[in-house]
Amino acid sequence: MSEANRLSVLKTYKLYVGGKFPRSESGRVYEVTTATSGADGAGADRAAGQGTWLANAPLSSRKDARDAVVAARKAFGGWSGATAYNRGQVLYRVAEMLEGRRGQFVREVADAEGLSKSKAAVAVDAAIDRWVWYAGWTDKIAQVVGGANPVAGPFFNLSTPEPAGVVTVLAPQESSFLGLVSVIAPVIATGNTAVVVASERSPLPALSLGEVLATSDLPGGVVNILSGRTAEIAAPLAAHQDVNGIDLTGADDVLAKDLEIAAADNLKRVLRPEREGRADWTKDPGTHRLTAFLETKTVWHPTGSLGASGSAY
């Protein structure tokens, strides 16, 4: 049979939860279409039905969200307990695998954001570079935000950063891959685990990222990726008592306010950055996302005289 007569083998996209690929518990899906006029016009084009059908993405339910939190909590102990150097090695391996699937991500980003292949390639390359950049921070951030503190009296005082726990990440709606990497990588680089709500409009690059993570050295449950209606999934996550932080990047102003109120019930850490419409994901990200979901542990210890062996008692 000639190639012209072959039937296309369409890809089935699934959620990524606990290192596995379940379908949505509800069995629901929704249509994902191409953007036809770039990021600013993508939503309008899709609403008018002008985009070309790409795939059916899973429409996550509240139970899917709860299952993702369970998986993230289960993975937290091992991931936060790993050495910073080891986390950096694992993240660098992910970057290697992203590089190997660069062509796939270029196609998906071009379709998702209405970009030419050349512009999509620039965005994908920037995303891979950013992943490497965050991988390099794993064993350095403690030196920036921790250290020995001057105190009055016969004591010494040491402060060290520790991960907050399970973090919900609402991925950017418009930047389907560079923005996605920019919000996921700093969360896990610092030892947290993540429940990611992919862009509602353009979830396919995020779901493909789950395939990369599954075949890398990243333990299952460290990153969990859900697709569907952002407001529908985010509401139970913001109110969940076993979620320790939430990044509201992908929420509009009205939704972000509601989620902040829900998050206050168990004093979640909340990151509410500038409105996404003004966000430039190509800029130097700085370290503020690395420190957003860290807590500081301070230890006081009395100083003493030196014994015969020269050690302090």
Side-chain angles (χ1 to χ4, degrees), residues 26-45:
S26 68
R28 301 178 300 166
V29 297
Y30 72 105
E31 291 188 357
V32 179
T33 60
T34 59
T36 56
S37 60
D40 292 338
D45 288 339

Side-chain angles (χ1 to χ4, degrees), residues 113-273:
E113 300 179 26
L115 301 175
S116 65
K117 288 293 178 65
S118 60
K119 289 184 177 179
V122 170
V124 170
D125 289 344
I128 297 171
D129 291 348
R130 182 147 302 168
W131 194 282
V132 173
W133 190 79
Y134 277 119
W137 269 105
T138 57
D139 58 355
K140 300 173 182 66
I141 192 64
Q143 300 171 52
V144 175
V145 298
N149 310 308
V151 295
F155 306 97
F156 62 85
N157 177 323
L158 300 175
S159 294
T160 57
E162 292 193 343
V166 176
V167 178
T168 291
V169 179
L170 307 186
Q173 297 295 338
E174 306 296 355
S175 184
S176 63
F177 195 55
L178 176 56
L180 175 76
V181 165
S182 298
V183 295
I184 294 177
V187 169
I188 62 174
T190 48
N192 297 288
T193 55
V195 176
V196 181
V197 181
S199 164
E200 182 174 336
R201 302 185 188 104
S202 308
L204 304 189
L207 297 176
S208 290
L209 175 62
E211 297 172 1
V212 172
L213 300 179
T215 52
S216 72
D217 298 327
L218 192 75
V222 172
V223 174
N224 305 274
I225 301 176
L226 306 174
S227 61
R229 310 302 181 203
T230 299
E232 185 178 331
I233 308 169
L237 290 171
H240 201 296
Q241 297 298 298
D242 206 23
V243 173
N244 305 104
I246 185 168
D247 180 345
L248 300 175
T249 296
D252 60 32
D253 290 341
V254 174
L255 177 59
K257 182 177 180 180
D258 292 341
L259 297 178
E260 280 186 307
I261 293 171
D265 192 48
N266 73 330
L267 303 179
K268 290 179 178 66
R269 287 179 172 268
V270 176
L271 177 61
R272 189 174 183 181

Side-chain angles (χ1 to χ4, degrees), residues 9-20:
V9 180
L10 300 178
K11 182 173 180 178
T12 301
Y13 288 88
K14 297 182 182 180
L15 307 177
Y16 180 56
V17 177
K20 300 178 181 179

